[in-house]
Amino acid sequence: ETLQRIVSTLANKTDEIHNFIDMLKHTITNVQVNSSNAISELAEEFDGLYSILDEMKGSMANTIQQEEARKIQALEDQLSQCSNALESSEELLELATQSLDIKDPVEFLKVETTEGICMRTLCTGREVTMASAFHISLKPKVSDSMTHLMVDFTQERRMLHAVKFLPVPKAPEIDLAACLVADNCITVSWRMPEEDSRIDHFVLEYRKTNFDGLPRVKHEEPWELIDYIKTTGYTLSGLIFDTKYMNLRVQACNKAVAGEYSDPVTLETKAFVFRLDSTSSHLNLKVEDAYVEWDATGGKGQEKLKGKENRSRSGPSSPKRTPVNAKSSTKTTGTRDRFTGESYTVLGDTTIESGQHYWEVRAQKDCKSYSVGVAYESLGKFDQLGKTKLSWCIHVNNWLQTTFSAKHNNKTKTLDKPVPDRLGIYCDFDGGQLAFCNANSKKRLHTFRTKFTQPLLPAFMIWCGGLTVSTGLQVPSAVITLQKSENGLSGSTSSLNSIA
């Protein structure tokens, strides 16, 4: 036996080493792929920068060309005006020179220029400005300077020289003391080791596991991801706790790069998980893991059983191998004739021997009659739920008119309350309580108080309809609070809470 344990331990360790080697090889491949991707992304960033610079260069060159055209047009207009004025002035000079040769004063005064200026007027100095040469400006309208369109890239050059890889955010630190597991929700809180204003968002990853620590075997559940978290905390809600633990890790991301993951933390998430035991139910019931349906033709044929066996071989191991909070299981192997007659019953495959547990049941709308509760393993094959000392249940009858009652030891207590569409069942084995509540509002419907002396099994009885069972649920906080409140009044309300 000692050698067998050593061999088994060594085999497990060998599997772990193989798994670690595969992980290292996979990591090497990822490094190569990610490095190539990083180079491609770097080239894209620089190409984008080149594109922006080329676009800016074209735009600014176009501005210079427009300014050049504007100035040249202004100077050409002024040049044209000056040329015309010069031509007129030269003509006037030539005419004046010719006029000087005229000896007759009368003839001299009759001479006019092409501009209609009488020589007499020109000589007397009146209306001199009528000649364009006398009022034209000899100052250029625009400057030949283009310095107002020069750029200084000194600061930009310094910035470009300062371009480096964006700093990788540091790994966040999960605050284990601030994490909370309750009501099938997990609230995770974390903080950064130092302030980093460039962080844009966080990424939370989680996966289910049965290991108290990091996964050590192949085919572990894959990580599930919650992206773009803007705060340093997040609540995962609506979970089914069908494993004992959950691994969680967080990474910080800036605009360009994601940092390293935080050290993973493992939070305990175990809850009461069971399946309906198809091998020990009435022949007139079709049974799946979480669904039972009444079938008048005797629905559990051989093909159904073979299908269940095949699924059990390929799927995860049955929870019935490990009783809930028990040192050893006393559950006996069921047979197809476990229940018969009018006991259309199926049991869960996991015993309750201690602790507090919770599960829920939803009935089909056209379901005629059903009972849900718990029973001892020794429940007889002809026994109907609630009609012996070995079982406790709530019964709903929708045949002619709806009746709602609590049953135990063949005694019935009518419940003057509406039947909810979903029932919650709370079992406190050590405290001797079996409570039923509206699963939506968590309001109490009925509580049995007794001392359980044998292991219990979830029990279901169905006629003309079907039931869906939800497991992997923690005891809701509201139910615990309500039970504590009721316990404080148990002395005065015992007659209301117990039938036996």
Side-chain angles (χ1 to χ4, degrees):
E1 291 178 358
T2 302
L3 181 58
Q4 182 63 42
R5 287 196 299 270
I6 294 174
V7 171
S8 177
T9 302
L10 184 59
N12 291 336
K13 192 64 179 178
T14 301
D15 287 341
E16 292 178 17
I17 294 174
H18 277 300
N19 184 42
F20 185 65
I21 290 174
D22 290 343
M23 185 191 71
L24 290 177
K25 291 179 179 179
H26 183 67
T27 303
I28 291 173
T29 302
N30 285 346
V31 168
Q32 295 170 337
V33 172
N34 292 338
S35 176
S36 177
N37 292 339
I39 292 175
S40 298
E41 291 174 0
L42 180 66
E44 290 179 2
E45 289 292 335
F46 271 91
D47 288 343
L49 184 59
Y50 299 151
S51 176
I52 293 174
L53 290 174
D54 286 340
E55 183 178 350
M56 291 180 62
K57 177 182 176 182
S59 176
M60 297 177 78
N62 184 51
T63 300
I64 294 175
Q65 291 170 351
Q66 291 177 353
E67 180 70 1
E68 175 191 12
R70 185 187 70 80
K71 286 193 172 186
I72 289 176
Q73 182 64 46
L75 293 172
E76 286 181 345
D77 291 345
Q78 192 175 16
L79 178 62
S80 177
Q81 293 175 2
C82 289
S83 297
N84 292 335
L86 179 61
E87 181 180 353
S88 176
S89 177
E90 289 176 346
E91 181 182 348
L92 183 61
L93 286 173
E94 182 180 356
L95 181 60
T97 301
Q98 294 175 357
S99 299
L100 290 175
D101 295 333
I102 299 175
K103 303 301 182 179
D104 186 355
V106 175
E107 292 296 325
F108 177 82
L109 295 176
K110 292 181 180 180
V111 177
E112 292 185 355
T113 68
T114 57
E115 295 181 352
I117 302 175
C118 179
M119 291 303 297
R120 179 178 57 189
T121 302
L122 184 64
C123 292
T124 59
R126 291 178 298 172
E127 300 181 9
V128 175
T129 57
M130 293 180 62
S132 58
F134 291 104
H135 60 77
I136 191 170
S137 173
L138 298 181
K139 179 181 179 181
K141 290 184 177 180
V142 295
S143 168
D144 61 354
S145 173
M146 299 291 282
T147 55
H148 63 291
L149 294 178
M150 301 301 292
V151 295
D152 180 9
F153 285 118
T154 302
Q155 182 177 354
E156 286 73 12
R157 285 193 182 93
R158 285 199 299 266
M159 293 175 61
L160 288 174
H161 282 300
V163 170
K164 298 178 181 178
F165 290 108
L166 193 64
V168 177
K170 294 187 176 180
E173 298 173 352
I174 296 180
D175 186 0
L176 196 57
C179 295
L180 178 64
V181 180
D183 298 317
N184 283 83
C185 298
I186 296 179
T187 298
V188 190
S189 180
W190 60 86
R191 56 177 173 267
M192 294 300 296
E194 59 184 45
E195 187 69 23
D196 188 348
S197 60
R198 287 169 291 197
I199 290 178
D200 178 68
H201 65 275
F202 296 93
V203 176
L204 170 65
E205 290 190 347
Y206 65 96
R207 64 180 170 190
K208 298 177 179 180
T209 179
N210 282 314
F211 294 101
D212 184 10
L214 296 178
R216 300 187 295 273
V217 296
K218 293 182 180 180
H219 313 301
E220 190 70 26
E221 290 285 336
W223 289 103
E224 297 186 56
L225 182 144
I226 304 294
D227 204 351
Y228 297 105
I229 301 173
K230 293 295 187 178
T231 59
T232 56
Y234 191 83
T235 297
L236 297 164
S237 58
L239 301 172
I240 298 298
F241 290 160
D242 50 4
T243 59
K244 293 182 179 180
Y245 304 97
M246 187 173 288
N247 295 140
L248 302 110
R249 64 183 185 181
V250 184
Q251 67 176 164
C253 307
N254 53 33
K255 291 291 186 181
V257 64
E260 293 294 327
Y261 282 100
S262 65
D263 291 334
V265 299
T266 301
L267 300 180
E268 187 174 12
T269 59
K270 65 180 181 179
F272 185 38
V273 179
F274 67 88
R275 300 173 183 171
L276 299 180
D277 190 355
S278 62
T279 64
S280 63
S281 65
H282 196 284
L283 281 172
N284 284 98
L285 297 181
K286 289 182 178 180
V287 180
E288 298 179 2
D289 287 345
Y291 180 74
V292 55
E293 183 178 10
W294 189 80
D295 182 6
T297 63
K300 291 200 312 174
Q302 291 296 327
E303 292 182 2
K304 183 69 176 179
L305 289 177
K306 290 180 181 179
K308 290 294 294 180
E309 291 173 357
N310 291 336
R311 282 201 298 272
S312 65
R313 291 192 188 106
S314 61
S317 59
S318 174
K320 68 182 179 182
R321 296 180 180 178
T322 306
V324 176
N325 293 336
K327 296 181 179 179
S328 62
S329 176
T330 59
K331 188 179 186 320
T332 58
T333 302
T335 59
R336 295 183 64 242
D337 60 351
R338 174 67 175 88
F339 295 101
T340 189
E342 295 184 356
S343 180
Y344 302 115
T345 303
V346 61
L347 302 175
D349 65 356
T350 305
T351 57
I352 299 174
E353 301 184 27
S354 63
Q356 301 178 44
H357 311 285
Y358 178 82
W359 62 98
E360 294 179 353
V361 177
R362 182 190 295 272
Q364 290 181 342
K365 290 185 178 180
D366 58 351
C367 190
K368 296 300 183 184
S369 177
Y370 62 92
S371 299
V372 297
V374 296
Y376 288 145
E377 293 178 294
S378 55
L379 185 68
K381 64 188 300 183
F382 295 97
D383 293 341
Q384 297 182 29
L385 295 185
K387 291 194 174 183
T388 70
K389 294 182 179 180
L390 306 179
S391 60
W392 299 257
C393 72
I394 274 191
H395 177 71
V396 179
N397 187 350
N398 292 319
W399 179 238
L400 295 177
Q401 61 181 8
T402 300
T403 60
F404 191 28
S405 58
K407 292 185 176 183
H408 171 64
N409 196 21
N410 207 25
K411 295 181 180 180
T412 300
K413 177 180 177 60
T414 301
L415 304 178
D416 187 18
K417 297 174 182 177
V419 180
D421 64 343
R422 198 156 49 98
L423 280 169
I425 299 93
Y426 165 69
C427 179
D428 181 0
F429 188 94
D430 302 315
Q433 294 186 41
L434 177 67
F436 298 86
C437 67
N438 183 322
N440 297 315
S441 65
K442 300 302 184 290
K443 291 184 178 180
R444 185 184 70 86
L445 301 172
H446 186 78
T447 301
F448 291 103
R449 300 181 186 277
T450 186
K451 181 178 181 180
F452 298 117
T453 58
Q454 301 178 36
L456 294 170
L457 287 170
F460 311 86
M461 194 165 70
I462 184 75
W463 182 66
C464 289
L467 296 175
T468 300
V469 183
S470 299
T471 70
L473 305 177
Q474 291 183 304
V475 181
S477 302
V479 172
I480 295 177
T481 302
L482 181 61
Q483 288 306 119
K484 288 181 178 179
S485 175
E486 288 185 357
N487 290 341
L489 301 174
S490 60
S492 59
T493 62
S494 59
S495 60
L496 298 177
N497 296 328
S498 178
I499 296 174

